[in-house]
Amino acid sequence: MTPDQVRAHMRNQGKTLTQFANEHGWPRAAVYRVLNGTDKAHYGRAHEIAVKLGLKSPPKQLAA
């Protein structure tokens, strides 16, 4: 999804981004940084947020 699609999806659910952040235990500012593209979300918490928002695909598991 694009950031605009994520915002529309949240609006359709009647949920704010602050509520989303609180439900997952993330700082509100971190969620906004990912959504606004300030944080590129290549790894760590930001990547986790991007995956949960639907901006990025979940990481693929490596075959053992």
Side-chain angles (χ1 to χ4, degrees):
M1 285 196 282
T2 67
D4 287 337
Q5 289 172 326
V6 170
R7 287 182 183 95
H9 181 70
M10 291 290 188
R11 262 193 310 275
N12 289 339
Q13 288 185 335
K15 190 181 290 189
T16 66
L17 289 170
T18 300
Q19 289 171 321
F20 174 83
N22 290 338
E23 286 173 6
H24 296 286
W26 296 317
R28 174 183 170 270
V31 174
Y32 276 95
R33 280 194 306 269
V34 170
L35 195 61
N36 292 329
T38 305
D39 196 330
K40 300 301 178 203
H42 293 296
Y43 49 85
R45 178 178 65 193
H47 184 265
E48 197 176 321
I49 293 169
V51 169
K52 208 60 147 164
L53 285 171
L55 295 171
K56 291 191 169 206
S57 302
K60 295 179 181 170
Q61 297 293 330
L62 298 176

